[in-house]
């Protein structure tokens, strides 16, 4: 916790990706731990290593010393060579839930004496998309911009998050096949530059409607008007949204 464990070594593979740096790291592997049961090497963003660095790792990974544990962390598992993956036990970490991020932010904000309203925390948690690190980065910007007093409207403006009514009206116009109204909504709210977020918000609403059609008791207020929508049509729109997300 305080960074004093000499048998634990963390390496940023993004900045130390060369083969010489990897060999330098491996030169310390044969030595026994000083005070811990194991020597632990944590390589963050392992996918950033060069091809030569991965090759130099292979021999050690095939027959690692009993006193050594390697931990590889990555956000892009598909860029790690299969030869390396085959020698590892893989754990896929789930994205954090919105409520968990929101609760953690609340603890931090209270400790730091930062003022906020509940909707502000929820917006930050949703914008973080499952990452507490991203939530903290977003929070730092908002705290500075809002002078340590976060309010929903300012948070929406800074993050480019449209009001729920905008998304509802947009979906209604699409379902009504009213192209003129769809274009009008997009033109009037063209200030929101994050079109990817706009599309994801629309898809989230469609998903909430589809779920609520099975459990109408838990439906939110902005969903009630859509509960009688043809499920097949909702599914069709959602599929279109998925295919368009690839273009961002």
């Amino acid at each position: 916790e305080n960074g004093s464990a000499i048998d634990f070594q963390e390496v940023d593979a993004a900045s130390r990706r060369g083969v010489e740096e990897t060999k330098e790291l491996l030169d310390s592997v044969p030595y026994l731990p000083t005070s811990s049961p194991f020597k632990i090497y944590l390589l963050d963003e392992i996918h950033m290593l060069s091809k030569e660095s991965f090759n130099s790792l292979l021999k050690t990974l095939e027959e690692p010393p009993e006193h050594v544990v390697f931990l590889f962390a990555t956000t892009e598992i598909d860029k790690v060579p299969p030869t390396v993956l085959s020698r590892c036990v893989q754990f896929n970490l789930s994205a954090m839930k919105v409520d968990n991020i929101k609760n953690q932010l609340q603890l931090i904000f209270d400790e730091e004496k930062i003022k906020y309203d509940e909707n502000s925390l929820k917006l930050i948690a949703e914008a973080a998309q499952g990452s507490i690190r991203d939530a903290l980065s977003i929070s730092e910007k908002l705290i500075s911009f809002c002078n340590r007093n976060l309010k929903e409207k300012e948070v929406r403006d800074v993050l480019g998050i449209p009001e729920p009514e905008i998304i509802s009206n947009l979906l209604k116009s699409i379902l009504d096949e009213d192209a003129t109204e769809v274009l009008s909504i997009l033109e009037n709210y063209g200030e929101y530059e994050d079109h990817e977020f706009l599309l994801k918000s629309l898809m989230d609403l469609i998903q909430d409607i589809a779920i609520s059609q099975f459990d109408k008791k838990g439906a939110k207020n902005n969903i009630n008007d859509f509960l009688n929508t043809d499920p097949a049509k909702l599914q069709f729109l959602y599929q279109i949204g998925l295919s368009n997300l690839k273009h961002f």
Side-chain angles (χ1 to χ4, degrees):
E1 290 181 350
N2 60 26
S4 62
I6 60 176
D7 293 318
F8 173 82
Q9 185 173 349
E10 182 176 356
V11 178
D12 179 13
S15 60
R16 295 178 58 85
R17 60 191 306 270
V19 64
E20 292 302 323
E21 293 163 320
T22 301
K23 288 180 178 179
E24 180 183 336
L25 174 72
L26 294 176
D27 285 342
S28 65
V29 168
Y31 298 103
L32 294 173
T34 302
S35 58
S36 306
F38 298 97
K39 290 184 71 173
I40 299 176
Y41 295 89
L42 170 59
L43 277 69
D44 191 21
E45 300 295 356
I46 186 71
H47 66 275
M48 294 295 290
L49 289 183
S50 65
K51 180 180 179 180
E52 293 75 16
S53 292
F54 276 124
N55 288 337
S56 66
L57 271 177
L58 283 178
K59 183 173 178 58
T60 304
L61 293 181
E62 286 175 351
E63 299 178 5
E66 293 183 357
H67 64 273
V68 171
V69 173
F70 284 101
L71 295 174
F72 299 152
T74 179
T75 52
E76 300 185 48
I77 192 71
D78 57 306
K79 293 184 179 180
V80 180
T83 50
V84 173
L85 286 179
S86 65
R87 291 163 173 80
C88 301
V89 177
Q90 183 175 329
F91 298 94
N92 296 316
L93 304 182
S94 301
M96 291 185 67
K97 295 181 179 179
V98 170
D99 285 344
N100 290 342
I101 296 178
K102 178 175 171 288
N103 292 338
Q104 186 64 31
L105 290 177
Q106 186 171 354
L107 290 174
I108 296 172
F109 282 23
D110 289 344
E111 180 70 21
E112 298 294 330
K113 303 294 189 294
I114 297 167
K115 297 180 180 179
Y116 59 88
D117 57 37
E118 289 296 318
N119 286 338
S120 293
L121 293 186
K122 184 178 180 182
L123 289 172
I124 296 172
E126 291 174 342
Q129 298 183 343
S131 169
I132 188 65
R133 181 174 60 182
D134 289 351
L136 293 175
S137 298
I138 294 170
S139 296
E140 288 179 359
K141 297 176 183 178
L142 288 169
I143 290 169
S144 176
F145 181 85
C146 299
N147 196 24
R148 300 178 67 86
N149 186 8
L150 278 63
K151 297 180 180 179
E152 180 182 357
K153 186 180 186 308
E154 290 181 327
V155 171
R156 284 188 180 277
D157 291 342
V158 173
L159 297 182
I161 300 175
E163 297 285 345
E165 292 78 8
I166 298 172
I167 306 300
S168 297
N169 291 338
L170 181 59
L171 179 58
K172 184 178 184 303
S173 300
I174 293 173
L175 291 172
D176 291 341
E177 300 182 11
D178 189 343
T180 302
E181 183 62 19
V182 169
L183 291 175
S184 176
I185 292 173
L186 294 177
E187 288 175 0
N188 289 337
Y189 298 97
E191 62 190 274
Y192 300 109
E193 298 179 0
D194 192 345
H195 297 100
E196 181 181 5
F197 189 88
L198 188 68
L199 177 57
K200 286 182 178 178
S201 297
L202 186 63
M203 292 173 65
D204 286 343
L205 176 58
I206 293 173
Q207 186 177 52
D208 287 343
I209 294 168
I211 294 174
S212 296
Q213 286 179 330
F214 291 95
D215 182 18
K216 297 184 179 181
K217 293 180 181 179
K220 303 174 185 176
N221 291 333
N222 64 326
I223 289 177
N224 289 326
D225 293 339
F226 298 101
L227 292 180
N228 293 324
T229 306
D230 181 2
K233 193 168 187 177
L234 289 175
Q235 179 64 23
F236 176 68
L237 291 176
Y238 194 84
Q239 290 296 329
I240 292 177
L242 282 177
S243 63
N244 278 278
L245 278 178
K246 300 176 183 178
H247 298 294
F248 288 99

